[in-house]
Amino acid sequence: MGEDAESPKINHTFLRDYVTEADVISTVEFNQTGDLLATGDKGGRVVIFQRETEVYSGEYNVYSTFQSHEPDFDYLKSLEIEEKINKIRWLPQQNAAHFLLSTNDKTIKLWKVSERDKRPEGYNLKDEEGRIKDVSTITSLQVPILKPTDLMVEVRPRRVFANGHTYHVNSISVNSDGETYLSADDLRINMWHLGITDRSFNIVDIKPANMEDLTEVITAAEFHPHHCHLFVYSSSKGSLRLCDMRASALCDKHAKLYEEPEDPGSRSFFSEIISSVSDVKFSHSGRYMLTRDYLTAKVWDLHMDKGPVETYQVHEYLRSKLCSLYENDCIFDKFECVWNSSDSVIMTGAYNSFFRMFDRETGRGVTLEAWRESSKPRAVLRTRRVYTGGKRRRGDVGVDSLDFTKKILHMAWHPAENIIAIAATNNLYIFQDRVNPDAQTQ
C-alpha cells in the first residue's frame, strides 16, 4: 500500500469529550465473523459493538456494555490489582450465543453474550412478579408459554479462572481445538481447559531459582491458528520461541528459536529496550509470524529461524529521540500489530495519532492519522508524512512537533474485509476502504 494508494474511508467513530483514565481503551478485538467488535478499557468495562445487517453496511452500533472486572487487593502481597482489561479473545461460535474471555492482571473470566426476545409466562409455582405462590391456592396445573417481548441482550459470567498467575497476565489465546486456551504472564505460561476453573497446567516456566539471575521476561504468547500443539512466545530480548507440546508437556525447551543477530556497531544503551517484542501474531495461513518492537515490525517465516524475512521501519526517525523517550517512559510503550485477512498487508501504531500500513508485495508503507477533525462519516483519510529533511511538503509534520501523548497502541482488523478498528486513547475509530460499491465518497 503505497503513499499514493487510495486511503480508507472513515466508517464510524465513537468519541468521548472528557478523557478520564478509566475511559482509555486498552484492547480491541473482532469476533471470528467480524459482526461483533469488543473493546475493553482501563475502568474494567467491556463494550460490544454489532455490525448493521444491511448489505455492504459497515456501521457498528453499541450492542452491550458490562463491567467485566473490579479493582481488587492482594492482601498477601499488599498489592492493588487494577481493573484494567488487558486482553479480550472471542471463542468460536457454537450456537446462537457468543462467548468471550477477558482478563486483567490476575483473573480471567468467560462471558456468555446472548439475546432474548421471548419471556415465559404461566408458571405454576410463581406469579408474574416471580414471587412464590401459596401452594394451597394452586388448584390446577398449566403449561408455561413463551410470549414475545422486547429484544434484550444478556451478558452473564460463566467461568472465573483465578489464582493461576503470580505476575501480570499479558496474553490470552484460544486454541484451535476449541477446548483449551493459554494465558501468559512475565515468567510463566499456563494452559486451561474452558470447562475447568480450579486448575491449569503450566507449560512454560522461565523463572530462575534466584531472581537476581533473571535476564528476560515473556512479553506475548499465541497459539498457532491451525495446529493445536504449537504456540509461540516472545521475550524482552527480541527473540521468539516456537514450542511443540507433542515433544514435551513442559515446553521450557523450545522447538525453534527465532532471533535476529545484533550488529555490534549499532549497539547502544537503548538496544535491549527497543528490541523487546511487544506483540506477536501468527498469519491467518499459519506460515508466518508478525512481531512488533519499538521501532520496527518484522515478518518471520516459521521455516527460517536465522532472522526475519521482512523488516518494516515504523518510525525510524525516533532513533535520535530515544534519550528523551526514555525519560518520559514512552520507550516502554507496547504497540500491537495485525494482519489483514489475506496476509498481504500489516498494520501497527505510532505516535501523534498516526498508524502505519505496509504492503508486503511492494514493501511500501503509508501513514494515516486517526483524529477528530477528520472523523466525519465517509470522509477520506489523508496520508501523512513526518518531515525528517529534504524538501518539505505541505501538511508534513516535523519530528519535534509530534505529540507523544497521542499514541495508537491497540487495533484490530476484520477477519474477512478491509475494516479496521483503531483505539486512540479513549476514542474508537472504525475505518473501511469502501462503504458500498455505489456510494459517492467525499
Side-chain angles (χ1 to χ4, degrees):
M1 184 172 294
E3 296 287 350
D4 54 349
E6 183 183 1
S7 299
K9 278 64 174 183
I10 295 175
N11 174 21
H12 215 59
T13 56
F14 298 89
L15 307 174
R16 299 171 183 168
D17 291 326
Y18 302 103
V19 181
T20 64
E21 188 69 13
D23 290 334
V24 174
I25 298 173
S26 53
T27 185
V28 185
E29 186 78 5
F30 281 102
N31 73 339
Q32 279 75 13
T33 63
D35 292 333
L36 296 178
L37 170 67
T39 66
D41 62 27
K42 290 188 175 182
R45 294 180 298 268
V46 172
V47 181
I48 302 175
F49 300 90
Q50 184 182 47
R51 189 178 185 181
E52 291 297 315
T53 56
E54 288 87 355
V55 179
Y56 302 124
S57 173
E59 297 287 330
Y60 282 80
N61 294 311
V62 176
Y63 181 62
S64 179
T65 302
F66 62 95
Q67 189 73 29
S68 174
H69 287 70
E70 301 281 357
D72 203 352
F73 191 80
D74 187 334
Y75 292 96
L76 290 176
K77 297 183 177 180
S78 297
L79 188 69
E80 290 186 7
I81 302 173
E82 293 182 345
E83 63 270 37
K84 171 192 170 189
I85 307 299
N86 291 340
K87 294 291 179 183
I88 290 174
R89 290 292 181 264
W90 293 90
L91 272 61
Q93 189 175 3
Q94 305 290 338
N95 49 42
H98 299 274
F99 291 86
L100 62 84
L101 291 167
S102 64
T103 184
N104 65 350
D105 284 341
K106 298 292 182 183
T107 304
I108 306 157
K109 296 183 179 182
L110 175 66
W111 297 90
K112 178 182 180 181
V113 184
S114 57
E115 294 181 352
R116 188 176 69 179
D117 60 359
K118 292 181 175 61
R119 185 180 65 182
E121 291 184 1
Y123 286 109
N124 290 287
L125 300 178
K126 295 180 181 179
D127 61 20
E128 297 305 322
E129 302 299 324
R131 293 186 295 264
I132 301 296
K133 293 180 181 179
D134 183 353
V135 178
S136 62
T137 64
I138 302 174
T139 58
S140 62
L141 294 178
Q142 58 183 343
V143 177
I145 60 173
L146 292 174
K147 287 192 174 182
T149 184
D150 292 336
L151 179 66
M152 293 178 59
V153 179
E154 294 182 334
V155 181
R156 295 180 178 178
R158 294 301 303 271
R159 307 270 193 280
V160 177
F161 305 88
N163 305 318
H165 289 276
T166 305
Y167 307 98
H168 294 176
V169 177
N170 56 48
S171 302
I172 49 177
S173 177
V174 181
N175 202 347
S176 59
D177 62 12
E179 296 183 356
T180 57
Y181 74 93
L182 65 75
S183 58
D185 65 26
D186 296 335
L187 298 179
R188 295 188 178 98
I189 300 176
N190 294 335
M191 188 167 76
W192 304 77
H193 191 282
L194 286 163
I196 302 173
T197 60
D198 59 350
R199 62 186 180 275
S200 61
F201 190 82
N202 180 235
I203 52 178
V204 173
D205 187 348
I206 66 169
K207 182 181 179 182
N210 185 353
M211 286 295 281
E212 292 182 358
D213 298 330
L214 183 66
T215 59
E216 64 180 333
V217 295
I218 297 168
T219 56
E222 187 177 61
F223 267 120
H224 191 279
H226 309 305
H227 302 304
C228 61
H229 55 273
L230 292 178
F231 68 94
V232 66
Y233 69 91
S234 58
S235 83
S236 57
K237 281 192 170 181
S239 59
L240 303 172
R241 290 175 173 85
L242 184 70
C243 299
D244 190 339
M245 290 187 288
R246 296 174 302 180
S248 173
L250 185 61
C251 298
D252 286 347
K253 293 183 179 179
H254 49 269
K256 275 192 175 182
L257 174 66
Y258 303 84
E259 57 185 358
E260 187 173 23
E262 185 182 19
D263 180 8
S266 62
R267 181 163 180 80
S268 70
F269 171 79
F270 306 107
S271 294
E272 189 165 322
I273 300 175
I274 63 174
S275 65
S276 175
V277 175
S278 57
D279 195 18
V280 57
K281 296 277 174 56
F282 277 106
S283 63
H284 294 84
S285 67
R287 171 70 184 269
Y288 300 98
M289 297 178 292
L290 172 63
T291 62
R292 173 67 201 268
D293 56 45
Y294 190 67
L295 295 179
T296 65
K298 296 171 181 173
V299 175
W300 306 73
D301 190 324
L302 260 65
H303 303 295
M304 298 176 63
D305 54 4
K306 293 183 179 180
V309 292
E310 301 163 26
T311 300
Y312 302 97
Q313 303 297 335
V314 178
H315 40 210
E316 180 64 19
Y317 46 79
L318 294 183
R319 190 175 292 275
S320 61
K321 303 286 183 183
L322 293 179
C323 187
S324 59
L325 291 166
Y326 177 80
E327 291 174 352
N328 63 18
D329 285 343
C330 284
I331 200 170
F332 301 106
D333 286 334
K334 292 176 170 53
F335 293 95
E336 295 178 2
C337 52
V338 291
W339 299 86
N340 72 338
S341 58
S342 63
D343 299 333
S344 60
V345 179
I346 63 171
M347 178 174 64
T348 190
Y351 294 106
N352 208 69
S353 296
F354 290 167
F355 59 98
R356 302 268 284 152
M357 289 184 177
F358 297 95
D359 188 309
R360 294 184 58 210
E361 183 177 353
T362 64
R364 298 181 65 184
V366 62
T367 302
L368 302 166
E369 184 178 13
W371 65 315
R372 285 173 177 251
E373 282 72 10
S374 64
S375 60
K376 296 178 181 178
R378 292 168 177 75
V380 178
L381 274 181
R382 294 186 178 89
T383 58
R384 300 304 300 268
R385 196 173 78 110
V386 177
Y387 175 75
T388 56
K391 185 179 180 181
R392 185 160 190 165
R393 297 186 296 189
R394 183 181 178 184
D396 284 359
V397 180
V399 177
D400 295 328
S401 302
L402 294 173
D403 187 343
F404 292 101
T405 64
K406 296 179 179 178
K407 53 191 79 171
I408 305 292
L409 301 177
H410 312 289
M411 56 188 56
W413 204 310
H414 190 286
E417 301 176 38
N418 279 333
I419 299 176
I420 57 176
I422 303 288
T425 315
N426 64 322
N427 299 322
L428 175 67
Y429 296 84
I430 298 177
F431 307 126
Q432 68 179 125
D433 61 350
R434 187 172 295 134
V435 176
N436 75 60
D438 302 316
Q440 294 295 319
T441 56
Q442 300 179 5

